[in-house]
């Protein structure tokens, strides 16, 4: 017998913030109430095989663990010096050394793998496993890795998950549904997305200096028989959403806090500003 959904008033609240994208405060500035972005969560970074977004060096500096999925190592090797022009390329490559390279090893260039291996990067060849994606393998590794101590407050940021081949994008979004209890955020230069599990009510704190106003709520996986929001220009009020019917795209975040409750898991997406 199927379990009845948890009534909205009984759901615990999950809070979301993109403060990890805020620039670091200057030494003379006062700390924000509650600490800075790096204090909010234990951050792990996954780099996939797509061009690095402009904020990759910032997120790298905030991560406790940095994992390249196969050809993502090429992107770090080639892309970090391009993002940090004016600095010595060799010094940049040595400074931005991944902790782990993991995946099928069918995309990483041999000279890149050898370079990082000589610097101490751990290499895990998972070519025997063709049933899971490289992102799936990396998320599983991070979730089990003892160096990321506080799993309950773990935030995994994924670079290169959006753009490129559509089937890869769908595979990456599927990973959000496979690991609904882990806070995973997929990022590109243009937007970010993450899962809103139906088991919780959600408060999304909009960082107006870096994100929005365009946003959306997408019922990928299954229809939502009821979704209610506040803080949007076009709020939903016990609204049904499904493919073939209504989905909330090109909405506008009008307030600093957006709330969402839904009968089904939803994908939240919001634009990132240049």
């Amino acid at each position: 017998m199927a379990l009845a959904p948890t009534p909205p008033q009984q759901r615990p609240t999950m809070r979301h913030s993109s403060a990890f994208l805020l620039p670091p405060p200057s030494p003379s500035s006062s700390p924000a109430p509650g600490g800075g972005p790096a204090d909010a969560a234990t951050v792990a970074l996954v780099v996939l095989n797509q061009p690095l977004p402009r904020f990759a060096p910032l997120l790298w500096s905030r991560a406790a663990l940095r994992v390249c999925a196969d050809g993502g190592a090429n992107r770090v090797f080639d892309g970090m010096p391009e993002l940090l022009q004016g600095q010595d390329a060799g010094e940049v490559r040595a400074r931005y050394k991944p902790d782990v390279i993991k995946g099928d090893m069918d995309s990483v260039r041999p000279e890149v793998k050898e370079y990082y291996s000589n610097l101490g990067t751990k290499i895990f060849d998972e070519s025997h496993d063709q049933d899971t994606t490289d992102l799936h393998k990396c998320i599983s590794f991070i979730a089990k890795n003892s160096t990321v101590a506080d799993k309950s407050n773990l935030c995994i940021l994924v670079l290169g998950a959006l753009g490129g081949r559509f089937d890869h994008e769908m595979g990456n979004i599927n990973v959000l549904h496979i690991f609904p209890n882990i806070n995973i955020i997929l990022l590109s230069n243009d937007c970010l997305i993450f899962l809103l599990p139906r088991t919780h009510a959600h408060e999304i704190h909009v960082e107006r200096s870096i994100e929005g106003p365009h946003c959306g709520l997408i019922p990928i996986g299954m229809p939502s028989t009821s979704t209610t929001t506040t803080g949007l220009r076009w709020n939903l009020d016990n609204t049904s959403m499904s493919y073939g019917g209504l989905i909330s795209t090109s909405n506008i975040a009008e307030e600093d806090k957006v709330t969402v409750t839904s009968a089904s898991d939803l994908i939240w997406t919001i634009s990132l500003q240049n």
Side-chain angles (χ1 to χ4, degrees):
M1 183 175 66
L3 297 176
T6 305
Q9 64 272 19
Q10 297 180 16
R11 298 178 193 175
T13 298
M14 184 178 293
R15 294 174 175 84
H16 309 267
S17 170
S18 302
F20 54 83
L21 283 171
L22 292 171
S26 63
S28 60
S29 63
S30 300
D39 300 324
T42 299
V43 174
L45 187 68
V46 177
V47 182
L48 303 184
N49 192 11
Q50 287 291 321
L52 296 179
R54 61 190 178 279
F55 43 77
L58 171 66
L59 300 189
W60 191 281
S61 70
R62 292 197 163 134
L65 179 66
R66 306 162 185 100
V67 180
C68 287
D70 200 354
N74 300 337
R75 302 294 182 167
V76 173
F77 186 88
D78 298 333
M80 283 300 191
E82 293 174 358
L83 290 172
L84 299 170
Q85 293 185 17
Q87 299 185 34
D88 180 80
E91 292 179 0
V92 169
R93 290 190 177 109
R95 189 163 74 246
Y96 291 93
K97 175 189 72 70
D99 300 300
V100 172
I101 301 173
K102 191 176 182 69
D104 294 345
M105 300 298 147
D106 59 352
S107 300
V108 61
R109 301 196 305 268
E111 70 272 17
V112 172
K113 183 167 67 171
E114 181 181 8
Y115 175 84
Y116 286 130
S117 178
N118 289 338
L119 289 179
T121 296
K122 297 178 181 178
I123 312 292
F124 295 93
D125 186 338
E126 300 282 344
S127 56
H128 62 278
D129 177 6
Q130 293 298 311
D131 293 329
T132 61
T133 66
D134 284 342
L135 178 57
H136 186 146
K137 295 177 177 72
C138 290
I139 298 298
S140 295
F141 173 82
I142 292 169
K144 297 173 183 176
N145 193 282
S146 60
T147 63
V148 181
D150 190 0
K151 303 296 192 301
S152 65
N153 203 30
L154 175 64
C155 177
I156 302 178
L157 308 178
V158 184
L159 306 183
L162 306 172
R165 278 173 43 187
F166 181 70
D167 60 330
H168 284 170
E169 286 187 305
M170 289 297 98
N172 295 334
I173 291 171
N174 186 49
V175 168
L176 301 183
H177 290 268
I178 294 172
F179 298 95
N181 297 320
I182 300 178
N183 183 18
I184 305 170
I185 303 175
L186 311 183
L187 297 117
S188 72
N189 265 322
D190 302 312
C191 68
L192 62 79
I193 72 172
F194 52 81
L195 186 72
L196 302 179
R198 62 186 180 275
T199 53
H200 289 71
H202 298 273
E203 289 184 4
I204 302 166
H205 296 270
V206 179
E207 300 288 350
R208 291 184 173 275
S209 64
I210 56 172
E211 64 182 342
H214 297 95
C215 61
L217 286 164
I218 317 296
I220 293 180
M222 67 181 70
S224 174
T225 57
S226 175
T227 298
T228 298
T229 68
T230 66
L232 303 177
R233 179 171 297 178
W234 296 285
N235 279 309
L236 306 174
D237 184 8
N238 292 319
T239 304
S240 297
M241 293 195 297
S242 66
Y243 276 89
L246 172 72
I247 61 175
S248 179
T249 61
S250 298
N251 213 323
I252 300 292
E254 296 236 299
E255 299 180 15
D256 292 340
K257 182 174 74 173
V258 172
T259 68
V260 181
T261 57
S262 180
S264 299
D265 296 347
L266 297 176
I267 293 291
W268 165 261
T269 181
I270 190 165
S271 59
L272 297 179
Q273 301 173 14
N274 291 324

